[in-house]
Amino acid sequence: MSETREIRTDYLARVEGEGAMLVRVRGGELEEVQFKIFEPPRFFEALLRGRRFTEAPDITARICGICPIAYMASSAQAMERLCGVELTEPVRLLRRLVYCGEWIESHVLHVVMLHLPDFLGYDGAVELARDRRDLVELALRLKKTGNELMRVIGGREVHPVNFRVGGFYRAPTAAELRELVPELEWAREAARELVRIVGALEFPDYERDYVFVALRQPGEYAIERGRIASSTGLDIDVSEYERHFTETHVARSNALHSSLDGVGAYLVGPLARYALNYEELSDEAKAAAEEAGLGQVCRNPFQSIVVRAVETLYAVEEALRIIASYERPSEPAVECAPRAGTGHGCTEAPRGICWHRYALDAEGFILDAKIVPPTAQNQRSIEEDLVGVVRDRLELPDEELAHVCEQAIRNYDPCISCATHFLRFEVIRE
Amino acid sequence: MIAAAVCLGSRYRGDDAVGPEVADRLRAAGARVLECADDPTRLLDLWDGLETLVVVDAVSTGAPPGTLHRVDAGAGPLPRELRLASTHAVGLADALALGQALGRAPSRVVVLGVEGSRFGMGDALSPVVEAALETLVADALAELGIGCTSGR
């Protein structure tokens, strides 16, 4: 007699946007896992057509309230490359600095408020806050440090208004940035503490031999620039992305599924960056990672929470380093004259590489746009993780199985709103 | 009394615009209106030290459009039956619950809601909600302890 088990999570909580998950088990064997994105399509690529090239950063910023800098930086980079313009070094460093702010606020929000409750057995941040006020207060203050960087450089915390193709409308004064130093110094200690806290968690026993994809830039932990590299030896300019990666539509999802040609599913985000760019981390970040039990490569997706905390520490240190040597640039931006052609941009959003392509006419109007956000790229990997996690735990009751599956999905800090073009949960046992 | 208002809504979604419309009028009358377009956990800092928080929003309870609702939530959770809709994972009710768990919430929360009827993209305020605006603003000012309340 065959037994049917069907486990559904209709709306996944503690993720950004709307998605669902279905697991179908027939006769004790795992038959199917689906990770669905049903957040409605948002048509950003279509509404960019006919707009000026200078508008792309402010329009694409609206794709996400958590990681607007990623969209602004990738679109601006695409336009700058097309115009043949290179940022001056101080302006590039300002862009890296504001991006550090986004990494800090996005990572801390996910690590403590969204993901940590899974590990400590709480329903959410509110329940966690009742018992662990110290931890939640630490997270809120740390997150605020990131928001302050966004505010001082970007003009406000969300959807910054001071960001433009070629640089910024106004460069902050050295004094304005130096005011942030005492809080950033507190944040460095707090981030170290956060790494220790999450490093001491118990992690579900699960590893997978991922193909990692991340930006790589010699001499730095790549954030706002770099070539696209993989653990299989890929090393390409961002303009060559479409020759190696393909996006396909699958009926269950409003987000396109990405694959690396000849490989299939691949992983972007903290684990990929950490594996490919470990050597570029600061000594302090490496030491904190080691103390938290990480090797130079981490293949247990549940430990991504530790890697995010290590990256938070790195971002705080990097912010302090940039501010220490900051001199206000004479010009906040490089003027960009449009030309007909195609430009490509790619930067490391907190969740992984965020790739953009724009075609412009000679007057600088956008003819065509393509945006590949990180969560879309990770969809196949999320499903493959779920297969592995469920296959090893079929004996668990549905409720426990659902819990570990949701935790596995949150390993990816999935930004469904960004990916849509996503969470309900179902386990079907037949 | 240390008081401020939080007005929720989108100007581009029909009756949901009632929050921002009330915010404009409250500011003009000298009231303190908290602004938070992003992560509601930021509200914990914004409402630091407040005695009274007035929440203004369009609501959808099934009552006739234009019906005014007033709920004094005290220091407790926001009533779920008002269905303060949020398109985001964390809404005001969650931020308030988080603040209460951390001992960082206003000592009293009053919700002023107006029953909406249309929330489509690009819709204007419905006439019945627009007609309720003046009373809603006067009620909010009274809750905030500003000006006279005889306009009602």
Side-chain angles (χ1 to χ4, degrees):
Chain A
M1 203 180 89
S2 79
E3 181 207 359
T4 299
R5 283 179 84 184
E6 176 176 316
I7 299 181
R8 301 161 181 266
T9 294
D10 287 346
Y11 289 92
L12 282 170
R14 282 183 277 130
V15 294
E16 296 293 331
E18 295 182 1
M21 170 180 141
L22 170 124
V23 171
R24 192 191 304 274
V25 181
R26 192 193 292 270
E29 294 285 320
L30 177 63
E31 189 176 77
E32 182 183 25
V33 170
Q34 290 185 1
F35 171 62
K36 304 181 195 176
I37 293 185
F38 57 85
E39 173 118 351
R42 299 169 67 196
F43 308 113
F44 267 90
E45 290 158 331
L47 65 84
L48 281 157
R49 287 183 201 156
R51 309 302 298 234
R52 295 274 302 166
F53 75 109
T54 48
E55 293 180 280
D58 287 320
I59 292 173
T60 58
R62 296 293 170 153
I63 291 174
C64 188
I66 307 292
C67 56
I69 296 291
Y71 289 89
M72 300 182 107
S74 290
S75 58
Q77 185 194 81
M79 302 308 179
E80 289 150 9
R81 284 170 57 116
L82 176 55
C83 299
V85 157
E86 220 167 285
L87 298 183
T88 61
E89 189 61 5
V91 171
R92 180 190 71 82
L93 286 172
L94 263 185
R95 196 169 276 184
R96 187 171 172 84
L97 182 58
V98 72
Y99 221 134
C100 286
E102 177 162 292
W103 273 30
I104 295 166
E105 59 91 10
S106 175
H107 275 0
V108 172
L109 174 72
H110 184 69
V111 166
V112 179
M113 312 300 274
L114 304 178
H115 209 188
L116 193 56
D118 283 337
F119 289 89
L120 297 180
Y122 293 97
D123 285 340
V126 173
E127 293 74 13
L128 177 65
R130 288 193 189 112
D131 290 355
R132 296 297 308 272
R133 183 174 172 170
D134 56 324
L135 242 169
V136 172
E137 291 284 9
L138 177 134
L140 288 171
R141 186 171 166 190
L142 192 49
K143 184 179 176 302
K144 194 175 167 188
T145 318
N147 285 342
E148 281 297 293
L149 279 166
M150 307 255 295
R151 185 183 61 77
V152 171
I153 304 164
R156 61 181 180 189
E157 292 91 338
V158 188
H159 303 136
V161 290
N162 186 34
F163 200 106
R164 57 172 286 195
V165 173
F168 297 88
Y169 290 101
R170 175 190 177 274
T173 64
E176 285 170 324
L177 290 180
R178 277 199 301 269
E179 273 178 28
L180 301 174
V181 169
E183 196 60 15
L184 280 163
E185 285 174 342
W186 172 86
R188 184 169 50 195
E189 294 306 315
R192 266 195 213 113
E193 178 64 19
L194 187 61
V195 177
R196 274 193 289 271
I197 291 165
V198 295
L201 297 171
E202 278 188 43
F203 302 99
D205 186 23
Y206 179 74
E207 281 201 352
R208 203 151 71 78
D209 194 12
Y210 296 102
V211 170
F212 297 120
V213 173
L215 289 183
R216 197 149 60 189
Q217 174 73 27
E220 64 195 39
Y221 199 76
I223 301 177
E224 82 295 346
R225 63 173 179 176
R227 290 169 66 81
I228 298 171
S230 81
S231 52
T232 51
L234 187 76
D235 177 11
I236 56 168
D237 182 79
V238 300
S239 61
E240 297 172 278
Y241 176 87
E242 284 172 295
R243 275 188 238 159
H244 300 272
F245 296 84
T246 46
E247 283 188 291
T248 44
H249 179 259
V250 291
R252 61 180 172 274
S253 180
N254 289 339
L256 297 168
H257 276 210
S258 299
S259 48
L260 173 56
D261 297 344
V263 169
Y266 61 97
L267 183 77
V268 300
L271 291 190
R273 289 191 291 256
Y274 182 82
L276 294 175
N277 296 317
Y278 175 85
E279 284 307 328
E280 306 290 357
L281 281 171
S282 61
D283 291 343
E284 188 166 346
K286 284 179 186 166
E290 190 178 353
E291 194 191 328
L294 292 179
Q296 296 191 14
V297 176
C298 172
R299 294 187 179 83
N300 181 342
F302 294 94
Q303 284 182 295
S304 61
I305 191 171
V306 188
V307 179
R308 278 189 192 91
V310 170
E311 285 194 338
T312 302
L313 172 60
Y314 174 81
V316 171
E317 289 185 86
E318 185 70 356
L320 281 164
R321 192 187 67 77
I322 293 170
I323 292 173
S325 64
Y326 178 77
E327 285 177 37
R328 191 181 197 192
S330 52
E331 297 294 334
V334 186
E335 285 311 317
C336 296
R339 61 187 187 203
T342 302
H344 307 82
C346 191
T347 63
E348 285 283 355
R351 294 153 189 82
I353 59 169
C354 181
W355 186 87
H356 294 218
R357 162 172 58 69
Y358 300 90
L360 302 186
D361 67 15
E363 277 71 53
F365 288 97
I366 298 171
L367 299 169
D368 185 52
K370 182 172 175 170
I371 298 170
V372 186
T375 298
Q377 299 179 72
N378 276 338
Q379 274 187 111
R380 289 189 60 180
S381 201
I382 294 172
E383 288 190 342
E384 291 188 9
D385 274 8
L386 288 171
V387 168
V389 165
V390 171
R391 193 169 276 154
D392 294 347
R393 291 168 178 79
L394 281 171
E395 76 289 353
L396 288 181
D398 285 0
E399 196 179 323
E400 284 177 44
L401 193 57
H403 175 81
V404 73
C405 285
E406 288 188 30
Q407 189 175 1
I409 291 171
R410 283 192 281 269
N411 286 335
Y412 287 81
D413 185 7
C415 194
I416 296 166
S417 311
C418 290
T420 300
H421 275 283
F422 155 107
L423 247 11
R424 286 191 318 159
F425 181 89
E426 304 174 59
V427 178
I428 302 168
R429 298 185 195 241
E430 297 182 60
Chain B
M1 181 170 65
I2 306 165
V6 169
C7 305
L8 305 167
S10 164
R11 289 182 198 276
Y12 309 104
R13 295 296 294 269
D15 289 336
D16 199 31
V18 77
E21 290 288 334
V22 169
D24 292 344
R25 289 162 174 76
L26 292 180
R27 281 208 180 91
R32 188 174 158 214
V33 180
L34 308 183
E35 196 165 327
C36 179
D38 59 314
D39 164 23
T41 59
R42 267 198 326 115
L43 285 167
L44 271 61
D45 290 320
L46 292 175
W47 67 44
D48 192 32
L50 282 189
E51 288 163 12
T52 298
L53 178 73
V54 179
V55 178
V56 182
D57 196 6
V59 299
S60 182
T61 67
T67 304
L68 295 176
H69 303 266
R70 180 188 181 281
V71 178
D72 191 333
L78 288 187
R80 295 281 173 186
E81 67 272 17
L82 281 178
R83 295 174 58 206
L84 299 173
S86 172
T87 53
H88 295 279
V90 183
L92 176 69
D94 301 299
L96 191 62
L98 185 63
Q100 285 164 346
L102 294 170
R104 289 169 56 183
S107 25
R108 178 167 159 262
V109 179
V110 177
V111 183
L112 299 177
V114 58
E115 191 79 20
S117 64
R118 60 184 190 204
F119 299 96
M121 286 191 202
D123 286 352
L125 276 181
S126 61
V128 67
V129 169
E130 194 162 8
L133 262 178
E134 200 180 322
T135 313
L136 192 55
V137 170
D139 288 352
L141 288 171
E143 298 289 350
L144 293 164
I146 296 173
C148 80
T149 58
S150 60
R152 180 148 192 177

